[in-house]
Amino acid sequence: MYTPSTRPVVLDPRGAANICANCEARSQSVCDAVPDSDIARLAAIAVVTRAEPGTTFIQEGDSATHFFNISAGTVRMYKMLPDGRRQITGFSGVGHFLGLAVSDTYAFSAEAIDRVRFCKFSRARVRTLLDDFPAMEKRLLAVASTELVAAQDQMLLLGRKTARERLASFLMLQSRQGTICQGSRSRFALPMSRGDIADYLGLTIETVSRTLTKLRTEGFIEIPSASEIAIRAPGALENLATGMA
Amino acid sequence: MYTPSTRPVVLDPRGAANICANCEARSQSVCDAVPDSDIARLAAIAVVTRAEPGTTFIQEGDSATHFFNISAGTVRMYKMLPDGRRQITGFSGVGHFLGLAVSDTYAFSAEAIDRVRFCKFSRARVRTLLDDFPAMEKRLLAVASTELVAAQDQMLLLGRKTARERLASFLMLQSRQGTICQGSRSRFALPMSRGDIADYLGLTIETVSRTLTKLRTEGFIEIPSASEIAIRAPGALENLATGMA
DNA sequence: CGGTCACTTGATCGTCTTCAATACCAGTGG
DNA sequence: CCACTGGTATTGAAGACGATCAAGTGACCG
């Protein structure tokens, strides 16, 4: 049903000078909590890695040895049932932090959608770092809280919204946090496939495609290409998304 | 569709002596992170409150002024759509911590299912407390991480499992963390109604009822009363729950 | 007892899925 | 340049699972 491919590639050995100080994703991530004066300590435990599209770099059930911080590209997190049914629990872009887990194993898998760059941090080393930077711990709590709120929204979507409302919600979300394309402000790229969208929204590929087409013919959106969307009627779409229609 | 009733009742004024030191729920909660020597500081900001069945004590959208810690009873957390569709995001029992939110408003509502007792803590006061007890911050992060894992499981359930599998998952979960009844070890109480279960599993009352009946006639479970379940075949039910059947 | 409320059971309906065919697009080689 | 190929997306027709509508049952309580 789903056979991942290549392996992640380490770009910089751990401790390479200034990899954190010059990191363009730092300001958007939890690494921001470490002050400039101590940034070398963070760099000392960071391993910069690249993953080609389709690469699985976190495997559900594996022992949770590392934290991850995305610095480029888009990632899908998912859980699977033994017979191949897949639920994507979220997409992560630049600045996102991955790997929070209670137990000693990962609760989900993570794959690169496009070309992804991320930093790996050993959990043990991060723990010692956290003791010195309580601000970092606060940031992690904020991250977890944010994810929790998003997860609750997604439960409402999966449990109670119609296919139409799910697509509307998804498009509004992407338009807020997605990559903006040249031209219209309301136009953005969808790095993920229809299959990914379906598995994120608890639908099938066919229903996603059909519903998008319908939203297009009704004038809510435009679909310049399969991986681009422009929102024509943001207000109406938002109403759809929140069940006001 | 759903009209909450009474108001919570404050039992002890804030700062009553020893309310935390003698709290029977303390060992099961984040309050455990405050050492005995400083427990008075915690007690000083705790407001013990009782809520009758059906009472809404957190309202989605209200400004998030407090944290909550359940010391007796069972609570349902939920989100609603404007037309009354409801998604229950979880149930909380003794020791559970509520109120994590990023923004300044609650992201969900919470209601007492049975008679509930909880402690209210002002967020501002908790924040100052956290600075002195980093262990508490770590506990909160652990709580948030645990909830996140549970939320991911629930997304898989809502997005990809059949009604049968949802009920099996729910019953296995309740059998693990629910109130054990006298007699058989596999027998437990369901404090929530069929409507609550339906809104938790993304189903209707009718489907919940029908599916439970079917699981009973097939020998997976017994239903001594509407609010009690005994699991006859835990292995088979677990297989159902995880999609192995 | 009569009334209410929650739960159960039955019959029909609709949304989304499944199965299947077709269209499209990028890359490759004749 | 264009046929060929593999993958992804779209469209169509039939089917199924759970929802909806409706009636019936049982428990609790005044």
Side-chain angles (χ1 to χ4, degrees):
Chain A
M1 195 125 291
Y2 204 77
T3 41
S5 53
T6 55
R7 299 171 174 285
V9 176
V10 173
L11 296 184
D12 277 302
R14 175 154 48 80
N18 291 331
I19 53 172
C20 290
N22 300 329
C23 178
E24 63 278 12
R26 182 175 159 211
S27 65
Q28 305 171 59
S29 79
V30 291
C31 302
D32 205 25
V34 176
D36 282 329
S37 52
D38 293 295
I39 199 70
R41 287 192 56 190
L42 187 61
I45 65 170
V47 181
V48 184
T49 310
R50 190 184 63 201
E52 295 301 314
T55 309
T56 307
F57 62 92
I58 298 179
Q59 179 71 49
E60 178 179 358
D62 280 2
S63 77
T65 54
H66 291 82
F67 292 117
F68 301 83
N69 220 336
I70 313 299
S71 50
T74 307
V75 165
R76 59 176 165 250
M77 290 93 76
Y78 62 91
K79 292 176 74 80
M80 296 232 337
L81 291 170
D83 64 359
R85 280 175 287 175
R86 182 179 66 157
Q87 179 64 40
I88 292 184
T89 56
F91 299 104
S92 282
V94 174
H96 276 244
F97 179 85
L98 291 183
L100 280 179
V102 244
S103 67
D104 50 354
T105 59
Y106 295 117
F108 57 85
S109 302
E111 282 177 10
I113 289 180
D114 42 27
R115 179 169 293 189
V116 164
R117 203 178 60 239
F118 58 81
C119 294
K120 276 173 71 170
F121 302 93
S122 140
R123 289 173 87 87
R125 289 168 189 273
V126 168
R127 247 186 296 274
T128 64
L129 204 69
L130 283 180
D131 292 332
D132 294 344
F133 301 105
M136 184 99 170
E137 188 114 41
K138 283 197 199 306
R139 277 296 288 267
L140 287 185
L141 184 57
V143 165
S145 301
T146 307
E147 301 242 334
L148 211 42
V149 170
Q152 287 161 1
D153 282 338
Q154 192 67 358
M155 287 189 243
L156 178 62
L157 180 148
L158 292 170
R160 290 301 180 215
K161 288 187 184 176
T162 66
R164 208 174 155 72
E165 290 164 347
R166 294 183 200 199
L167 261 303
S169 302
F170 173 72
L171 292 175
M172 290 310 295
L173 184 70
Q174 290 299 314
S175 80
R176 281 192 296 271
Q177 68 182 30
T179 316
I180 293 103
C181 288
Q182 85 281 355
S184 179
R185 199 163 49 274
S186 61
R187 186 168 164 176
F188 55 91
L190 293 181
M192 67 293 288
S193 70
R194 295 291 186 270
D196 288 341
I197 299 173
D199 285 349
Y200 179 57
L201 299 178
L203 300 169
T204 59
I205 294 179
E206 293 93 327
T207 301
V208 169
S209 181
R210 264 186 264 270
T211 307
L212 282 178
T213 306
K214 194 128 183 286
L215 290 175
R216 177 175 55 72
T217 61
E218 291 169 341
F220 289 100
I221 60 172
E222 286 173 47
I223 312 182
S225 82
S227 63
E228 273 179 290
I229 297 283
I231 296 184
R232 268 191 159 290
L237 201 62
E238 179 63 22
N239 282 343
L240 242 186
T242 53
M244 311 269 291
Chain B
M1 197 124 290
Y2 204 78
T3 40
S5 53
T6 55
R7 299 172 173 282
V9 176
V10 172
L11 296 183
D12 276 301
R14 174 156 47 80
N18 291 330
I19 53 172
C20 290
N22 301 329
C23 179
E24 62 279 10
R26 181 175 161 214
S27 64
Q28 306 170 59
S29 80
V30 293
C31 303
D32 205 25
V34 177
D36 282 330
S37 53
D38 292 294
I39 198 69
R41 285 192 57 191
L42 187 62
I45 65 171
V47 181
V48 184
T49 310
R50 189 184 64 202
E52 294 301 314
T55 310
T56 306
F57 61 92
I58 299 179
Q59 179 72 47
E60 179 179 357
D62 280 2
S63 77
T65 55
H66 290 80
F67 293 118
F68 301 84
N69 218 337
I70 313 299
S71 49
T74 308
V75 166
R76 60 176 165 251
M77 289 93 74
Y78 63 90
K79 292 177 74 81
M80 295 231 342
L81 291 170
D83 64 0
R85 281 174 288 174
R86 181 179 68 155
Q87 179 65 40
I88 292 184
T89 56
F91 299 104
S92 283
V94 174
H96 277 244
F97 180 86
L98 291 182
L100 281 179
V102 243
S103 68
D104 49 355
T105 59
Y106 295 118
F108 57 87
S109 302
E111 282 178 10
I113 290 180
D114 42 25
R115 179 167 295 188
V116 165
R117 202 179 60 237
F118 59 82
C119 294
K120 279 174 68 170
F121 302 93
S122 139
R123 291 173 85 87
R125 290 168 190 272
V126 169
R127 250 187 294 275
T128 63
L129 203 67
L130 283 182
D131 292 332
D132 294 342
F133 301 104
M136 185 100 170
E137 189 114 42
K138 284 198 199 304
R139 278 295 290 266
L140 287 185
L141 183 56
V143 165
S145 301
T146 306
E147 301 243 332
L148 211 42
V149 170
Q152 287 160 0
D153 282 337
Q154 192 67 358
M155 286 190 240
L156 177 63
L157 180 148
L158 292 169
R160 288 303 179 214
K161 289 187 184 176
T162 65
R164 209 174 154 70
E165 291 165 346
R166 293 183 201 200
L167 260 304
S169 301
F170 173 71
L171 292 176
M172 289 310 295
L173 184 69
Q174 290 300 314
S175 80
R176 279 192 297 272
Q177 69 183 32
T179 314
I180 292 103
C181 288
Q182 84 282 356
S184 177
R185 200 163 49 273
S186 61
R187 187 168 164 175
F188 54 91
L190 292 181
M192 66 293 286
S193 70
R194 295 290 186 270
D196 287 342
I197 299 174
D199 284 350
Y200 179 56
L201 299 178
L203 300 170
T204 60
I205 293 179
E206 293 93 327
T207 301
V208 168
S209 180
R210 262 188 265 273
T211 307
L212 282 178
T213 306
K214 196 125 182 289
L215 290 175
R216 177 175 57 72
T217 61
E218 290 169 341
F220 289 100
I221 59 172
E222 287 174 46
I223 312 182
S225 83
S227 65
E228 272 179 290
I229 297 282
I231 296 185
R232 267 191 160 289
L237 201 62
E238 178 64 23
N239 282 345
L240 243 184
T242 52
M244 311 270 290

